Amino acid sequence: MKNFDKYQIGYFMPPSCEMHWTKKDHIEKSPIWCSVDLRDGNQALIVPMSLEEKLKFFKFLVSIGFKEIEVGFPAASDTEYEFLRTLIEGNHIPDDVTIQVLTQSREHIIRKTFHALKGAKKAIVHLYNSTSLAQREQVFKKSREQIIEIAEFGANLFNKYAAAYPETEFQFQYSPESFTGTEMDFAAEICNRVIDIWKPTRDKKMIINLPATVSMSMPHVYASQIEYMCSALHDRESLIISLHPHNDRGTGVADAELGLLAGGDRIEGTLFGNGERTGNVDIVTLAMNLYSHGVDPHLDFSNMPAVVDLYESVTRMRVHERQPYSGKLVFAAFSGSHQDAIAKGMKYRDKKEQRIWNVPYLPLDPNDVGREYETDVIRINSQSGKGGIGYLLEQNFGYQLPDAMRESFGYQIKQISDENHKELSHQEIHDIFTSEYVNCFNPIEITKVKFQQKNGIIATIWVTINGEPYSFTANGNGRLDAVSNALKNCCLELDYNIISYSEHALENGSNSRACAYVGVEDSKGNVTWGVGIHPDIISASVNAMVSAINRTLK
């Protein structure tokens, strides 16, 4: 590509980089979560949500555990103002949930914002002004001190208007917008000037929100910026350090995670990362990453399909099939080797009765997010293998195919999928299996068998071959061997040996049917399989042998 030389690094490293956070290998506790779906997310939609949709979304966010929810910019439009008043006047805000609103540092906007909150029990009021070098030079054409004056002006007005509504418990939040493009010493200075005006305490903390309004660096740089700010800010013990990453470089989740290691306490983000441009940080992925490390995220995504459905209905956006934890294909294994490892891992887990999850290729138990092994994990196409196909038949239909038969059937299924250029459903695979292998009685069908115990086992069989009735008698070492020897007396000049036999109950209980598997080898070494199902185990065995022979004749 041309023109790469017109770009350069736009962020500023801190004056000092201690990087103590690099000694930590994982996050040990859940942050405070603040959903900004109804503001940052909504303003990024092609068709913004209606009041009814926003109310539905708000209630859903509450139901999955959010305790802080940014509900809008009430001074920006009548719709935003009306939604906030609907929440308050309709008593839709639970006592343990705090709403958050946003305002610029302009008096008429701040005044209207506080007025819009009248009657709320609790509220976070979020003041912001842009501080980056690019914004100062190109947009505002103001010096550092003039930008600080804008922040101080708004901070003083917050104190003034909050005092007029003593019935509401206010918490103040300040953001140096475009933080990642701001010189770090200036970011610390402007935040400290606001802190000094609001005078937070350990019992009444304020929030300093440090947004990656535009993601400009690798994640470790953002983390180093957060670490510096935590050490440079006044009254750190009276502050909540909030992170608000965007995803311009595809590193929103990494920015947030490393930022938490570096001292962040709180995350502002959206479900599935909806937001301006490439979106905000995805809270679902962040929370589930914690969950997969054994940390309670204090958000409930145990019914992920319902979360996806609600989100898609109110935003008209689509959750991608490969979206971490939530996409329709994130647990799907098409590869034969992957399917085999998963199937063996699941059997090992059941056998060992393990609590700790460590199944190969599955970083999370699909059941924990409302997904099913049978439909979501083992998916069958031309890339699939015997392990996955065998596991599918066993888990869904109870068949326990011998290893060699699984391989034979697996190749058959792969060939069918390849020829038709399609994924095969579980029911389609079952239908192919039963029609091809189970109780195949053409051209041979044994309709009756009588046994005698004399010098081993003597079997007399009544059989139809191409519709013609016959009977034959022979002896053998066992019942199936005797039936086989009797059948070899027929007119078809059958030349085969039984090389494999196994059986099991197909269901639990006294009325269970027996399922038998027989492999026969012809004179050329070709092996063919048959399956017999019958309430009687001997009849099931005979049916399996006949099915294998008929498939050989085909």
Side-chain angles (χ1 to χ4, degrees):
M1 293 177 66
K2 297 179 180 179
N3 300 323
F4 64 88
D5 55 344
K6 76 179 184 182
Y7 299 98
Q8 64 180 6
I9 290 170
Y11 58 85
F12 297 89
M13 289 298 292
S16 61
C17 289
E18 301 296 335
M19 300 190 75
H20 293 303
W21 59 269
T22 60
K23 298 175 183 177
K24 305 173 185 177
D25 63 63
H26 68 285
I27 300 166
E28 296 180 346
K29 67 175 183 177
S30 174
I32 301 166
W33 303 107
C34 178
S35 161
V36 295
D37 290 270
L38 297 171
R39 201 275 304 170
D40 227 350
N42 185 57
Q43 74 181 27
L45 297 176
I46 297 172
V47 180
M49 288 178 270
S50 66
L51 189 148
E52 292 75 17
E53 288 170 330
K54 291 181 78 171
L55 184 58
K56 181 179 180 181
F57 203 173
F58 177 84
K59 291 180 177 179
F60 184 75
L61 292 170
V62 169
S63 74
I64 59 178
F66 281 98
K67 301 303 180 186
E68 296 183 3
I69 302 173
E70 188 168 78
V71 297
F73 198 146
S77 71
D78 292 339
T79 301
E80 298 277 282
Y81 184 90
E82 182 183 358
F83 175 57
L84 176 56
R85 295 312 305 165
T86 298
L87 289 176
I88 295 170
E89 294 170 8
N91 199 29
H92 295 298
I93 308 168
D95 290 343
D96 64 344
V97 173
T98 303
I99 56 172
Q100 176 172 304
V101 294
L102 188 70
T103 178
Q104 296 169 327
S105 187
R106 301 171 67 183
E107 183 164 10
H108 71 285
I109 294 177
I110 293 172
R111 181 173 60 249
K112 186 173 182 179
T113 299
F114 277 91
H115 179 70
L117 287 166
K118 184 177 181 179
K121 296 177 182 178
K122 296 184 296 183
I124 298 169
V125 190
H126 182 183
L127 173 69
Y128 76 95
N129 68 305
S130 193
T131 59
S132 70
L133 178 62
Q135 294 259 20
R136 297 198 315 266
E137 291 182 342
Q138 301 171 37
V139 180
F140 299 105
K141 297 180 171 56
K142 292 183 181 296
S143 66
R144 283 189 176 193
E145 189 58 35
Q146 289 173 313
I147 295 295
I148 290 175
E149 288 173 0
I150 294 173
E152 289 182 321
F153 176 75
N156 282 308
L157 288 175
F158 268 44
N159 286 338
K160 172 185 173 181
Y161 285 107
Y165 300 94
E167 72 279 6
T168 300
E169 180 185 337
F170 290 110
Q171 184 174 33
F172 295 164
Q173 173 172 326
Y174 174 70
S175 290
E177 193 200 15
S178 302
F179 164 74
T180 48
T182 303
E183 304 93 328
M184 289 297 104
D185 63 317
F186 179 54
E189 181 182 4
I190 194 169
C191 287
N192 280 331
R193 298 278 278 270
V194 173
I195 292 168
D196 292 345
I197 292 172
W198 284 345
K199 295 179 171 42
T201 66
R202 294 188 180 188
D203 295 328
K204 190 174 177 59
K205 296 184 178 183
M206 65 168 281
I207 301 167
I208 291 290
N209 187 53
L210 302 173
T213 310
V214 178
S215 177
M216 305 177 75
S217 68
M218 295 173 68
H220 75 286
V221 172
Y222 182 63
S224 295
Q225 293 169 335
I226 299 304
E227 183 180 50
Y228 169 78
M229 292 294 288
C230 287
S231 65
L233 293 175
H234 297 171
D235 302 321
R236 175 63 182 94
E237 69 280 359
S238 300
L239 305 177
I240 294 170
I241 302 301
S242 178
L243 313 178
H244 184 112
H246 278 251
N247 201 41
D248 301 271
R249 291 171 57 88
T251 59
V253 169
D255 287 345
E257 290 182 328
L258 298 192
L260 289 173
L261 289 180
D265 306 304
R266 180 179 185 263
I267 293 290
E268 292 188 348
T270 59
L271 300 186
F272 309 114
N274 179 41
E276 294 279 19
R277 304 181 311 280
T278 56
N280 290 57
V281 66
D282 176 12
I283 284 183
V284 176
T285 299
L286 267 178
M288 293 308 302
N289 282 356
L290 289 175
Y291 184 84
S292 69
H293 279 176
V295 177
D296 184 355
H298 300 294
L299 292 174
D300 184 4
F301 296 115
S302 59
N303 188 353
M304 193 68 78
V307 178
V308 172
D309 290 344
L310 186 284
Y311 167 83
E312 292 185 336
S313 72
V314 297
T315 65
R316 301 167 186 84
M317 301 285 282
R318 182 176 69 88
V319 174
H320 193 274
E321 289 83 356
R322 300 294 183 188
Q323 182 83 7
Y325 300 106
S326 53
K328 291 181 179 179
L329 295 179
V330 297
F331 296 109
F334 291 100
S335 161
S337 61
H338 289 204
Q339 291 175 346
D340 186 59
I342 290 170
K344 290 176 178 175
M346 292 299 295
K347 287 184 177 180
Y348 179 88
R349 175 178 170 78
D350 290 341
K351 181 179 179 181
K352 299 292 185 179
E353 298 182 350
Q354 286 187 327
R355 170 69 178 168
I356 300 300
W357 181 265
N358 65 344
V359 175
Y361 296 111
L362 292 179
L364 193 77
D365 184 345
N367 281 346
D368 287 335
V369 287
R371 305 290 290 273
E372 300 295 333
Y373 304 113
E374 292 80 0
T375 56
D376 293 315
V377 178
I378 304 297
R379 305 281 292 269
I380 304 303
N381 63 13
S382 61
Q383 305 301 308
S384 303
K386 62 178 182 178
I389 295 169
Y391 180 79
L392 183 155
L393 286 175
E394 181 173 355
Q395 292 298 309
N396 290 276
F397 305 105
Y399 296 107
Q400 300 173 19
L401 276 62
D403 287 346
M405 185 181 183
R406 282 197 304 171
E407 183 173 1
S408 175
F409 183 57
Y411 283 124
Q412 183 178 6
I413 290 298
K414 288 172 66 172
Q415 182 178 358
I416 292 172
S417 174
D418 192 33
E419 290 174 353
N420 290 277
H421 303 288
K422 59 175 285 190
E423 177 187 1
L424 298 178
S425 71
H426 296 186
Q427 190 58 51
E428 286 176 312
I429 293 167
H430 176 260
D431 292 346
I432 294 169
F433 178 74
T434 54
S435 65
E436 182 71 23
Y437 290 90
V438 179
N439 293 348
C440 301
F441 298 144
N442 183 33
I444 300 170
E445 180 179 8
I446 294 178
T447 57
K448 182 180 177 182
V449 180
K450 182 179 180 180
F451 295 105
Q452 289 179 285
Q453 185 133 14
K454 184 177 180 182
N455 297 324
I457 298 293
I458 298 175
T460 301
I461 62 173
W462 285 262
V463 57
T464 59
I465 302 175
N466 292 319
E468 296 294 324
Y470 301 91
S471 65
F472 305 102
T473 300
N475 65 349
N477 294 325
R479 296 189 178 199
L480 188 62
D481 184 52
V483 171
S484 175
N485 290 337
L487 188 58
K488 287 179 179 179
N489 291 329
C490 77
C491 59
L492 296 178
E493 299 182 355
L494 301 175
D495 185 8
Y496 66 88
N497 291 304
I498 297 174
I499 62 167
S500 177
Y501 170 80
S502 61
E503 48 87 10
H504 62 83
L506 199 55
E507 303 95 4
N508 294 321
S510 58
N511 295 323
S512 172
R513 296 170 299 165
C515 181
Y517 308 87
V518 169
V520 300
E521 184 179 51
D522 66 17
S523 58
K524 297 180 180 179
N526 300 312
V527 178
T528 309
W529 293 89
V531 181
I533 297 176
H534 196 277
D536 174 65
I537 183 59
I538 299 302
S539 297
S541 304
V542 171
N543 289 349
M545 182 190 71
V546 170
S547 296
I549 294 169
N550 281 330
R551 293 190 67 246
T552 300
L553 295 174
K554 284 171 62 179

